[in-house]
Amino acid sequence: MGFARAINPHPLPLLADTRATKPVPAPSSSSLFLGSTRTLRPTQTRSISSPHRRSAASAVAAKVSDVKLKSTTNLLVTKEEGLEVYEDMILGRVFEDMCAQMYYRGKMFGFVHLYNGQEAVSSGFIKLLKKEDSVVSTYRDHVHALSKGVPARAVMSELFGKTTGCCRGQGGSMHMFSAEHNVLGGFAFIGEGIPVATGAAFTSKYKREVLKEADCDHVTLAFFGDGTANNGQFFECLNMAALWKLPIIFVVENNLWAIGMSHLRATSDPEIWKKGPAFGMPGVHVDGMDVLKVREVAKEAIGRARRGEGPTLVECETYRFRGHSLADPDELRDPDEKARYAARDPITQFKKYLIENKLASEAELKAIEKKIDEVVEEAVEFADESPAPSRSQLLENVFADPRGFGIGPDGRYRCEDPKFTEGTAQV
Amino acid sequence: MLGIVRRNVGGAGGLYSQGFGRLRPVASAIRNYSSGGKEMTVRDALNSALDEEMAADPNVFVMGEEVGEYQGAYKITKGLLDKYGPERVLDTPITEAIDHVINSAAKSNYMSAGQINVPIVFRGPNGPAAGVGAQHSQCYGAWYGSVPGLKVLVPYSSEDARGLLKAAIRDPDPVVFLENELLYGESFPVSAEALDSSFCLPIGKAKIEREGKDITITAFSKMVGYALKAAEILEKDGINAEVINLRSIRPLDRATINASVRKTNRLVTVEEGFPQHGIGAEICASVIEDSFGYLDAPVERVAGADVPTPYAANLERMAFPQIEDIVRAAKRACYRSVPMAASA
């Protein structure tokens, strides 16, 4: 039922295996990702809905043992799409590396969480969205914002705390917002973005059904991690989204670690995709280090949501190459585990795919990398030269209607007093 | 950059600091700590308090995110997993719920008419650090302090940290123990008495850090350090300030505060939290109720700006009290003419 499938997890160092041991078949070769993994339904074409799939509401995920993938003759991306995705992944990687440099030079401060290694998830999903679709993320949100179209210079300025940042320097690394690109945050607290995303999906459905905007088929993506999947508000939102058939996709970026807490030590059943069918929506597991596989799953899930068929839970098995944040010494993760995932770097894999399938030449890809280097350098220069926020900005943006600051002693609204924005904190 | 300081501090090892050679800034010589010669960071103080209480009573255990294998998100529980094992130092999955602190812990003893008490200590960093944004910077002293059934403690120095944490662990009621991330790495002298494993401070008693006769300044947590520095600056202008370290927000030591105001006749309250319904508001109300006739000037409240904390460094500096803000408020209370806000 549905398109739920499971790919056997690669052998991981189990710190405390409290699950009943099941025989784990040998993992498939990870370098072959040509074609779809949907080997159970070979006659199925990609984005056509079948009556079979519409009844996914009561889907029970079937565990599929991994089969050696066969190459298909039709490629999964066109050249333009491939280059667009490649450029996006390179932008994510180069930008995050630059953030690390800038942090150690003192240009950025506070908590900074980098996305290295997880680019396939962001590019795989977000590059399929329209501008009106929404993305909600966690504190690891720089690359989600970039993929959605927020300019690199706006994100870098925000990280430097300058007034030209996407949130005027008021949000910071963990709170990237953009109304223009429908990036609804950037939240520091675990699980906090999920109800916000559910609300955004509700807005879309409301617009279509109550306000009769028939062409409103906007979907929302909620990104969060494995640790969040144990959180109460996640389950509350799964329930509501399935109940009301909201156009939302819950994307779990399972990188196996919540700061220093291994997913396997924290979760009674580590297979997060199973939580979807428990609430009446399809649950899917996908190799999150492979951007094409992610893209295929994303296409289906987004298609479902746009057609009004309801939510999907997608678990992406991925890995973060750096520590939890730039302040994390990262002592607990096994170096072998890190090496294994580093060998599956999504960018290297995709580059190989493009070249082997003659979608792009080395020279073209190098040109893209050079272009991105320039974009990120320019972003840093722009951020450096931008001014810090003025004193008066301290009291701005607390309310949409500034009269919320009340009536002053002279009987007029405080915000009408010319001295109000001179930067005094006397409110 | 404060961010860098935090990183280095994460590597601090050992239960007791070997800080004999560390010189404190000259200005602090005015503080009236009992001289013991030994210094200890707040982090080590908290760690040693936890260690000793767990050793003394097998019923005590630690539970939380990252407390075990990660040695604590801020390394406060370092070494405890190795010493006491995974049954007494439990790493939990992620759960975030403020509701139960207020609605279960605080109210159970009352709702059950004394049958069920809740001897839990909820501890962790509170208030702003440096550049951590709006959702990581709020001071919850006033929120928790308004709930009957909770005890709310706010240590400043290492001695406070040790004594109050031990008292909190031994206490049969729910205690919210609000630490400060930036204080974890700071070193304070500790007396031999404070290093003793049965050392305990009374809950609900404030400490007079610095005696004075012209004006009372109340503060808690990191602001005590700022208030003491402000007091030194005021001394040069002939204003002799008394600094009270509240140590406990609930119960609030109204007796000490009022006695001090009756002596000095002027009051400045300092906090990092938002001004409306804050700690300063409560202290002001208490003083007006009990010592109205003794006040020679209106009470000055120094608090954080009434805005969610901005990320940009210069805005964040403006959003929280700085030493100059406390000095200016004290001078206003003493009727010296001063501008209302910083000009920089």
Side-chain angles (χ1 to χ4, degrees), chain B residues 250-294:
Chain B
R250 182 179 267 273
L252 193 58
D253 191 353
R254 299 168 205 275
T256 303
I257 298 168
N258 275 286
S260 174
V261 171
R262 287 176 186 216
K263 185 173 71 165
T264 63
N265 309 124
R266 294 165 205 277
L267 175 62
V268 171
T269 66
V270 185
E271 65 192 295
E272 286 187 296
F274 303 131
Q276 189 167 341
H277 310 300
I279 312 289
E282 176 60 33
I283 292 177
C284 182
S286 169
V287 163
I288 287 178
E289 282 163 12
D290 290 341
S291 315
F292 181 69
Y294 291 83

mmCIF file of all heavy atoms in Angstrom, chain B residues 250-294:
data_model
loop_
_atom_site.group_PDB
_atom_site.id
_atom_site.type_symbol
_atom_site.label_atom_id
_atom_site.label_comp_id
_atom_site.label_asym_id
_atom_site.label_seq_id
_atom_site.Cartn_x
_atom_site.Cartn_y
_atom_site.Cartn_z
ATOM 1 N N ARG B 250 12.068 32.921 44.952
ATOM 2 C CA ARG B 250 10.912 32.492 45.701
ATOM 3 C C ARG B 250 11.393 31.456 46.684
ATOM 4 O O ARG B 250 11.919 30.434 46.242
ATOM 5 C CB ARG B 250 9.842 31.902 44.773
ATOM 6 C CG ARG B 250 8.584 31.493 45.538
ATOM 7 C CD ARG B 250 7.509 30.934 44.590
ATOM 8 N NE ARG B 250 6.573 31.946 44.142
ATOM 9 C CZ ARG B 250 5.451 32.292 44.812
ATOM 10 N NH1 ARG B 250 5.152 31.705 45.947
ATOM 11 N NH2 ARG B 250 4.657 33.206 44.329
ATOM 12 N N PRO B 251 11.298 31.628 47.981
ATOM 13 C CA PRO B 251 10.761 32.816 48.635
ATOM 14 C C PRO B 251 11.720 34.004 48.561
ATOM 15 O O PRO B 251 12.932 33.827 48.657
ATOM 16 C CB PRO B 251 10.584 32.355 50.086
ATOM 17 C CG PRO B 251 11.438 31.164 50.249
ATOM 18 C CD PRO B 251 11.706 30.582 48.893
ATOM 19 N N LEU B 252 11.174 35.172 48.388
ATOM 20 C CA LEU B 252 11.971 36.384 48.272
ATOM 21 C C LEU B 252 12.288 36.881 49.687
ATOM 22 O O LEU B 252 11.399 36.914 50.542
ATOM 23 C CB LEU B 252 11.136 37.418 47.522
ATOM 24 C CG LEU B 252 11.808 38.684 46.998
ATOM 25 C CD1 LEU B 252 12.944 38.345 46.070
ATOM 26 C CD2 LEU B 252 10.773 39.524 46.298
ATOM 27 N N ASP B 253 13.546 37.242 49.928
ATOM 28 C CA ASP B 253 13.923 37.651 51.290
ATOM 29 C C ASP B 253 13.515 39.101 51.523
ATOM 30 O O ASP B 253 14.342 40.023 51.508
ATOM 31 C CB ASP B 253 15.435 37.485 51.468
ATOM 32 C CG ASP B 253 15.857 37.627 52.925
ATOM 33 O OD1 ASP B 253 14.994 37.992 53.756
ATOM 34 O OD2 ASP B 253 17.032 37.383 53.213
ATOM 35 N N ARG B 254 12.229 39.292 51.738
ATOM 36 C CA ARG B 254 11.721 40.657 51.892
ATOM 37 C C ARG B 254 12.306 41.332 53.128
ATOM 38 O O ARG B 254 12.533 42.533 53.126
ATOM 39 C CB ARG B 254 10.190 40.652 51.978
ATOM 40 C CG ARG B 254 9.537 40.094 50.742
ATOM 41 C CD ARG B 254 8.043 39.818 50.952
ATOM 42 N NE ARG B 254 7.590 38.799 50.025
ATOM 43 C CZ ARG B 254 7.193 39.060 48.777
ATOM 44 N NH1 ARG B 254 7.191 40.291 48.340
ATOM 45 N NH2 ARG B 254 6.812 38.080 47.995
ATOM 46 N N ALA B 255 12.567 40.541 54.163
ATOM 47 C CA ALA B 255 13.066 41.126 55.414
ATOM 48 C C ALA B 255 14.416 41.798 55.186
ATOM 49 O O ALA B 255 14.624 42.950 55.582
ATOM 50 C CB ALA B 255 13.191 40.029 56.471
ATOM 51 N N THR B 256 15.322 41.094 54.521
ATOM 52 C CA THR B 256 16.648 41.679 54.291
ATOM 53 C C THR B 256 16.562 42.915 53.413
ATOM 54 O O THR B 256 17.201 43.943 53.678
ATOM 55 C CB THR B 256 17.575 40.640 53.623
ATOM 56 O OG1 THR B 256 17.643 39.496 54.457
ATOM 57 C CG2 THR B 256 18.956 41.196 53.390
ATOM 58 N N ILE B 257 15.738 42.815 52.359
ATOM 59 C CA ILE B 257 15.635 43.959 51.442
ATOM 60 C C ILE B 257 15.057 45.169 52.180
ATOM 61 O O ILE B 257 15.571 46.294 52.083
ATOM 62 C CB ILE B 257 14.751 43.602 50.229
ATOM 63 C CG1 ILE B 257 15.379 42.451 49.451
ATOM 64 C CG2 ILE B 257 14.554 44.800 49.337
ATOM 65 C CD1 ILE B 257 14.455 41.847 48.416
ATOM 66 N N ASN B 258 14.008 44.950 52.938
ATOM 67 C CA ASN B 258 13.376 46.069 53.631
ATOM 68 C C ASN B 258 14.285 46.663 54.698
ATOM 69 O O ASN B 258 14.364 47.889 54.856
ATOM 70 C CB ASN B 258 12.048 45.636 54.241
ATOM 71 C CG ASN B 258 10.912 45.715 53.238
ATOM 72 O OD1 ASN B 258 10.447 46.796 52.906
ATOM 73 N ND2 ASN B 258 10.506 44.588 52.721
ATOM 74 N N ALA B 259 14.989 45.788 55.414
ATOM 75 C CA ALA B 259 15.918 46.296 56.435
ATOM 76 C C ALA B 259 16.964 47.183 55.786
ATOM 77 O O ALA B 259 17.336 48.242 56.303
ATOM 78 C CB ALA B 259 16.571 45.121 57.162
ATOM 79 N N SER B 260 17.438 46.743 54.617
ATOM 80 C CA SER B 260 18.457 47.528 53.922
ATOM 81 C C SER B 260 17.895 48.865 53.466
ATOM 82 O O SER B 260 18.530 49.921 53.605
ATOM 83 C CB SER B 260 18.965 46.724 52.723
ATOM 84 O OG SER B 260 19.838 47.480 51.959
ATOM 85 N N VAL B 261 16.686 48.860 52.926
ATOM 86 C CA VAL B 261 16.101 50.113 52.438
ATOM 87 C C VAL B 261 15.817 51.059 53.598
ATOM 88 O O VAL B 261 15.978 52.271 53.489
ATOM 89 C CB VAL B 261 14.805 49.825 51.639
ATOM 90 C CG1 VAL B 261 14.068 51.105 51.311
ATOM 91 C CG2 VAL B 261 15.146 49.094 50.358
ATOM 92 N N ARG B 262 15.433 50.485 54.718
ATOM 93 C CA ARG B 262 15.207 51.361 55.875
ATOM 94 C C ARG B 262 16.491 52.024 56.318
ATOM 95 O O ARG B 262 16.475 53.093 56.926
ATOM 96 C CB ARG B 262 14.605 50.566 57.032
ATOM 97 C CG ARG B 262 13.162 50.219 56.772
ATOM 98 C CD ARG B 262 12.559 49.348 57.844
ATOM 99 N NE ARG B 262 11.222 48.943 57.428
ATOM 100 C CZ ARG B 262 10.188 48.795 58.243
ATOM 101 N NH1 ARG B 262 10.338 49.010 59.540
ATOM 102 N NH2 ARG B 262 9.015 48.415 57.772
ATOM 103 N N LYS B 263 17.613 51.383 56.034
ATOM 104 C CA LYS B 263 18.915 51.959 56.390
ATOM 105 C C LYS B 263 19.350 52.998 55.368
ATOM 106 O O LYS B 263 19.821 54.073 55.722
ATOM 107 C CB LYS B 263 19.946 50.826 56.470
ATOM 108 C CG LYS B 263 21.311 51.256 56.941
ATOM 109 C CD LYS B 263 22.236 50.071 57.162
ATOM 110 C CE LYS B 263 22.637 49.439 55.859
ATOM 111 N NZ LYS B 263 23.787 48.516 55.990
ATOM 112 N N THR B 264 19.202 52.680 54.072
ATOM 113 C CA THR B 264 19.762 53.563 53.053
ATOM 114 C C THR B 264 18.743 54.547 52.474
ATOM 115 O O THR B 264 19.133 55.594 51.955
ATOM 116 C CB THR B 264 20.312 52.747 51.871
ATOM 117 O OG1 THR B 264 19.232 52.047 51.250
ATOM 118 C CG2 THR B 264 21.371 51.770 52.320
ATOM 119 N N ASN B 265 17.460 54.201 52.512
ATOM 120 C CA ASN B 265 16.362 55.034 52.004
ATOM 121 C C ASN B 265 16.265 55.141 50.495
ATOM 122 O O ASN B 265 15.475 55.914 49.968
ATOM 123 C CB ASN B 265 16.435 56.467 52.572
ATOM 124 C CG ASN B 265 16.577 56.473 54.074
ATOM 125 O OD1 ASN B 265 17.518 57.045 54.622
ATOM 126 N ND2 ASN B 265 15.653 55.819 54.751
ATOM 127 N N ARG B 266 17.104 54.422 49.750
ATOM 128 C CA ARG B 266 17.012 54.480 48.288
ATOM 129 C C ARG B 266 17.205 53.083 47.738
ATOM 130 O O ARG B 266 17.983 52.299 48.286
ATOM 131 C CB ARG B 266 18.089 55.406 47.700
ATOM 132 C CG ARG B 266 17.888 56.852 48.080
ATOM 133 C CD ARG B 266 19.146 57.684 47.798
ATOM 134 N NE ARG B 266 19.185 58.856 48.668
ATOM 135 C CZ ARG B 266 18.542 59.993 48.416
ATOM 136 N NH1 ARG B 266 17.818 60.125 47.319
ATOM 137 N NH2 ARG B 266 18.628 60.993 49.277
ATOM 138 N N LEU B 267 16.534 52.792 46.617
ATOM 139 C CA LEU B 267 16.594 51.425 46.088
ATOM 140 C C LEU B 267 16.710 51.413 44.569
ATOM 141 O O LEU B 267 16.005 52.161 43.873
ATOM 142 C CB LEU B 267 15.337 50.658 46.518
ATOM 143 C CG LEU B 267 15.141 49.247 45.970
ATOM 144 C CD1 LEU B 267 16.255 48.326 46.415
ATOM 145 C CD2 LEU B 267 13.803 48.684 46.415
ATOM 146 N N VAL B 268 17.622 50.571 44.091
ATOM 147 C CA VAL B 268 17.698 50.277 42.655
ATOM 148 C C VAL B 268 17.612 48.764 42.521
ATOM 149 O O VAL B 268 18.358 48.044 43.171
ATOM 150 C CB VAL B 268 19.051 50.755 42.057
ATOM 151 C CG1 VAL B 268 19.207 50.260 40.626
ATOM 152 C CG2 VAL B 268 19.158 52.263 42.114
ATOM 153 N N THR B 269 16.686 48.267 41.701
ATOM 154 C CA THR B 269 16.623 46.820 41.481
ATOM 155 C C THR B 269 17.202 46.531 40.104
ATOM 156 O O THR B 269 16.967 47.281 39.150
ATOM 157 C CB THR B 269 15.182 46.291 41.523
ATOM 158 O OG1 THR B 269 14.465 46.815 40.419
ATOM 159 C CG2 THR B 269 14.507 46.661 42.819
ATOM 160 N N VAL B 270 17.962 45.462 39.998
ATOM 161 C CA VAL B 270 18.615 45.129 38.723
ATOM 162 C C VAL B 270 18.256 43.704 38.326
ATOM 163 O O VAL B 270 18.307 42.789 39.152
ATOM 164 C CB VAL B 270 20.154 45.215 38.850
ATOM 165 C CG1 VAL B 270 20.803 44.983 37.493
ATOM 166 C CG2 VAL B 270 20.572 46.551 39.423
ATOM 167 N N GLU B 271 17.881 43.520 37.086
ATOM 168 C CA GLU B 271 17.607 42.175 36.560
ATOM 169 C C GLU B 271 17.812 42.200 35.056
ATOM 170 O O GLU B 271 17.767 43.265 34.437
ATOM 171 C CB GLU B 271 16.178 41.766 36.891
ATOM 172 C CG GLU B 271 15.143 42.640 36.203
ATOM 173 C CD GLU B 271 13.736 42.438 36.740
ATOM 174 O OE1 GLU B 271 13.218 41.328 36.565
ATOM 175 O OE2 GLU B 271 13.190 43.385 37.317
ATOM 176 N N GLU B 272 17.995 41.023 34.480
ATOM 177 C CA GLU B 272 18.157 40.951 33.027
ATOM 178 C C GLU B 272 16.838 40.676 32.319
ATOM 179 O O GLU B 272 16.757 40.798 31.106
ATOM 180 C CB GLU B 272 19.154 39.826 32.660
ATOM 181 C CG GLU B 272 20.578 40.202 32.973
ATOM 182 C CD GLU B 272 21.565 39.175 32.453
ATOM 183 O OE1 GLU B 272 21.520 38.022 32.931
ATOM 184 O OE2 GLU B 272 22.369 39.527 31.582
ATOM 185 N N GLY B 273 15.831 40.270 33.080
ATOM 186 C CA GLY B 273 14.554 39.905 32.473
ATOM 187 C C GLY B 273 13.775 41.122 32.023
ATOM 188 O O GLY B 273 14.183 42.268 32.196
ATOM 189 N N PHE B 274 12.622 40.857 31.423
ATOM 190 C CA PHE B 274 11.786 41.943 30.928
ATOM 191 C C PHE B 274 11.206 42.730 32.109
ATOM 192 O O PHE B 274 10.936 42.177 33.168
ATOM 193 C CB PHE B 274 10.655 41.372 30.060
ATOM 194 C CG PHE B 274 11.150 40.559 28.907
ATOM 195 C CD1 PHE B 274 10.624 39.310 28.652
ATOM 196 C CD2 PHE B 274 12.148 41.032 28.075
ATOM 197 C CE1 PHE B 274 11.082 38.547 27.583
ATOM 198 C CE2 PHE B 274 12.610 40.277 27.008
ATOM 199 C CZ PHE B 274 12.070 39.026 26.768
ATOM 200 N N PRO B 275 11.003 44.027 31.912
ATOM 201 C CA PRO B 275 10.617 44.869 33.054
ATOM 202 C C PRO B 275 9.205 44.618 33.590
ATOM 203 O O PRO B 275 9.008 44.622 34.806
ATOM 204 C CB PRO B 275 10.744 46.291 32.506
ATOM 205 C CG PRO B 275 10.758 46.165 31.036
ATOM 206 C CD PRO B 275 11.286 44.809 30.718
ATOM 207 N N GLN B 276 8.258 44.390 32.665
ATOM 208 C CA GLN B 276 6.886 44.296 33.160
ATOM 209 C C GLN B 276 6.692 42.997 33.922
ATOM 210 O O GLN B 276 7.039 41.928 33.449
ATOM 211 C CB GLN B 276 5.908 44.376 31.970
ATOM 212 C CG GLN B 276 4.469 44.506 32.416
ATOM 213 C CD GLN B 276 3.539 44.902 31.283
ATOM 214 O OE1 GLN B 276 3.969 45.411 30.266
ATOM 215 N NE2 GLN B 276 2.257 44.667 31.490
ATOM 216 N N HIS B 277 6.101 43.090 35.088
ATOM 217 C CA HIS B 277 5.864 41.935 35.962
ATOM 218 C C HIS B 277 7.163 41.219 36.320
ATOM 219 O O HIS B 277 7.185 40.009 36.488
ATOM 220 C CB HIS B 277 4.931 40.910 35.301
ATOM 221 C CG HIS B 277 3.689 41.522 34.767
ATOM 222 N ND1 HIS B 277 2.781 42.193 35.539
ATOM 223 C CD2 HIS B 277 3.226 41.596 33.496
ATOM 224 C CE1 HIS B 277 1.800 42.629 34.783
ATOM 225 N NE2 HIS B 277 2.039 42.301 33.541
ATOM 226 N N GLY B 278 8.246 41.963 36.440
ATOM 227 C CA GLY B 278 9.534 41.332 36.734
ATOM 228 C C GLY B 278 9.833 41.283 38.214
ATOM 229 O O GLY B 278 9.025 41.648 39.058
ATOM 230 N N ILE B 279 11.058 40.830 38.524
ATOM 231 C CA ILE B 279 11.484 40.724 39.919
ATOM 232 C C ILE B 279 11.520 42.113 40.560
ATOM 233 O O ILE B 279 11.116 42.310 41.712
ATOM 234 C CB ILE B 279 12.893 40.093 39.986
ATOM 235 C CG1 ILE B 279 12.967 38.856 39.114
ATOM 236 C CG2 ILE B 279 13.275 39.815 41.417
ATOM 237 C CD1 ILE B 279 12.220 37.694 39.625
ATOM 238 N N GLY B 280 12.008 43.081 39.808
ATOM 239 C CA GLY B 280 12.085 44.445 40.332
ATOM 240 C C GLY B 280 10.722 44.987 40.688
ATOM 241 O O GLY B 280 10.553 45.692 41.684
ATOM 242 N N ALA B 281 9.730 44.625 39.890
ATOM 243 C CA ALA B 281 8.380 45.092 40.169
ATOM 244 C C ALA B 281 7.899 44.538 41.507
ATOM 245 O O ALA B 281 7.281 45.246 42.307
ATOM 246 C CB ALA B 281 7.439 44.661 39.047
ATOM 247 N N GLU B 282 8.190 43.265 41.747
ATOM 248 C CA GLU B 282 7.764 42.645 42.994
ATOM 249 C C GLU B 282 8.495 43.246 44.193
ATOM 250 O O GLU B 282 7.886 43.543 45.226
ATOM 251 C CB GLU B 282 8.031 41.133 42.914
ATOM 252 C CG GLU B 282 7.736 40.346 44.178
ATOM 253 C CD GLU B 282 6.298 40.439 44.604
ATOM 254 O OE1 GLU B 282 5.411 40.536 43.732
ATOM 255 O OE2 GLU B 282 6.050 40.440 45.833
ATOM 256 N N ILE B 283 9.802 43.483 44.034
ATOM 257 C CA ILE B 283 10.572 44.066 45.142
ATOM 258 C C ILE B 283 10.063 45.469 45.438
ATOM 259 O O ILE B 283 9.893 45.878 46.587
ATOM 260 C CB ILE B 283 12.075 44.087 44.783
ATOM 261 C CG1 ILE B 283 12.598 42.652 44.716
ATOM 262 C CG2 ILE B 283 12.855 44.907 45.785
ATOM 263 C CD1 ILE B 283 14.044 42.556 44.293
ATOM 264 N N CYS B 284 9.791 46.200 44.389
ATOM 265 C CA CYS B 284 9.289 47.567 44.560
ATOM 266 C C CYS B 284 7.973 47.553 45.322
ATOM 267 O O CYS B 284 7.783 48.311 46.272
ATOM 268 C CB CYS B 284 9.113 48.182 43.171
ATOM 269 S SG CYS B 284 8.561 49.858 43.192
ATOM 270 N N ALA B 285 7.078 46.674 44.923
ATOM 271 C CA ALA B 285 5.791 46.595 45.611
ATOM 272 C C ALA B 285 5.991 46.236 47.075
ATOM 273 O O ALA B 285 5.358 46.809 47.975
ATOM 274 C CB ALA B 285 4.911 45.549 44.926
ATOM 275 N N SER B 286 6.886 45.291 47.323
ATOM 276 C CA SER B 286 7.121 44.860 48.698
ATOM 277 C C SER B 286 7.651 46.003 49.549
ATOM 278 O O SER B 286 7.238 46.221 50.688
ATOM 279 C CB SER B 286 8.123 43.700 48.681
ATOM 280 O OG SER B 286 8.564 43.415 49.968
ATOM 281 N N VAL B 287 8.583 46.776 48.983
ATOM 282 C CA VAL B 287 9.179 47.880 49.744
ATOM 283 C C VAL B 287 8.146 48.969 50.000
ATOM 284 O O VAL B 287 8.090 49.565 51.077
ATOM 285 C CB VAL B 287 10.408 48.424 48.976
ATOM 286 C CG1 VAL B 287 10.815 49.775 49.469
ATOM 287 C CG2 VAL B 287 11.553 47.437 49.094
ATOM 288 N N ILE B 288 7.313 49.213 49.027
ATOM 289 C CA ILE B 288 6.283 50.247 49.225
ATOM 290 C C ILE B 288 5.285 49.810 50.278
ATOM 291 O O ILE B 288 4.807 50.620 51.077
ATOM 292 C CB ILE B 288 5.614 50.574 47.881
ATOM 293 C CG1 ILE B 288 6.597 51.372 47.046
ATOM 294 C CG2 ILE B 288 4.336 51.353 48.086
ATOM 295 C CD1 ILE B 288 6.110 51.722 45.698
ATOM 296 N N GLU B 289 5.004 48.508 50.302
ATOM 297 C CA GLU B 289 4.053 48.035 51.307
ATOM 298 C C GLU B 289 4.630 48.136 52.712
ATOM 299 O O GLU B 289 3.941 48.496 53.665
ATOM 300 C CB GLU B 289 3.680 46.568 51.028
ATOM 301 C CG GLU B 289 2.683 46.416 49.911
ATOM 302 C CD GLU B 289 2.645 44.986 49.376
ATOM 303 O OE1 GLU B 289 3.229 44.086 50.014
ATOM 304 O OE2 GLU B 289 2.033 44.784 48.310
ATOM 305 N N ASP B 290 5.935 47.780 52.847
ATOM 306 C CA ASP B 290 6.495 47.678 54.203
ATOM 307 C C ASP B 290 7.302 48.889 54.655
ATOM 308 O O ASP B 290 7.443 49.126 55.843
ATOM 309 C CB ASP B 290 7.441 46.460 54.276
ATOM 310 C CG ASP B 290 6.658 45.154 54.192
ATOM 311 O OD1 ASP B 290 5.433 45.209 54.444
ATOM 312 O OD2 ASP B 290 7.258 44.122 53.886
ATOM 313 N N SER B 291 7.891 49.615 53.698
ATOM 314 C CA SER B 291 8.826 50.667 54.123
ATOM 315 C C SER B 291 8.594 51.952 53.375
ATOM 316 O O SER B 291 9.531 52.680 53.076
ATOM 317 C CB SER B 291 10.265 50.202 53.879
ATOM 318 O OG SER B 291 10.438 48.886 54.304
ATOM 319 N N PHE B 292 7.338 52.256 53.066
ATOM 320 C CA PHE B 292 7.043 53.437 52.253
ATOM 321 C C PHE B 292 7.628 54.708 52.857
ATOM 322 O O PHE B 292 8.236 55.526 52.171
ATOM 323 C CB PHE B 292 5.525 53.565 52.087
ATOM 324 C CG PHE B 292 5.104 54.719 51.243
ATOM 325 C CD1 PHE B 292 5.357 54.712 49.885
ATOM 326 C CD2 PHE B 292 4.450 55.802 51.802
ATOM 327 C CE1 PHE B 292 4.958 55.779 49.088
ATOM 328 C CE2 PHE B 292 4.046 56.875 51.013
ATOM 329 C CZ PHE B 292 4.294 56.862 49.653
ATOM 330 N N GLY B 293 7.436 54.864 54.150
ATOM 331 C CA GLY B 293 7.876 56.089 54.807
ATOM 332 C C GLY B 293 9.383 56.286 54.792
ATOM 333 O O GLY B 293 9.888 57.385 54.967
ATOM 334 N N TYR B 294 10.108 55.196 54.547
ATOM 335 C CA TYR B 294 11.566 55.287 54.591
ATOM 336 C C TYR B 294 12.185 55.672 53.262
ATOM 337 O O TYR B 294 13.370 55.976 53.185
ATOM 338 C CB TYR B 294 12.162 53.938 55.026
ATOM 339 C CG TYR B 294 11.868 53.596 56.465
ATOM 340 C CD1 TYR B 294 10.656 53.004 56.833
ATOM 341 C CD2 TYR B 294 12.804 53.871 57.456
ATOM 342 C CE1 TYR B 294 10.387 52.694 58.159
ATOM 343 C CE2 TYR B 294 12.547 53.566 58.778
ATOM 344 C CZ TYR B 294 11.338 52.986 59.128
ATOM 345 O OH TYR B 294 11.085 52.681 60.430
#
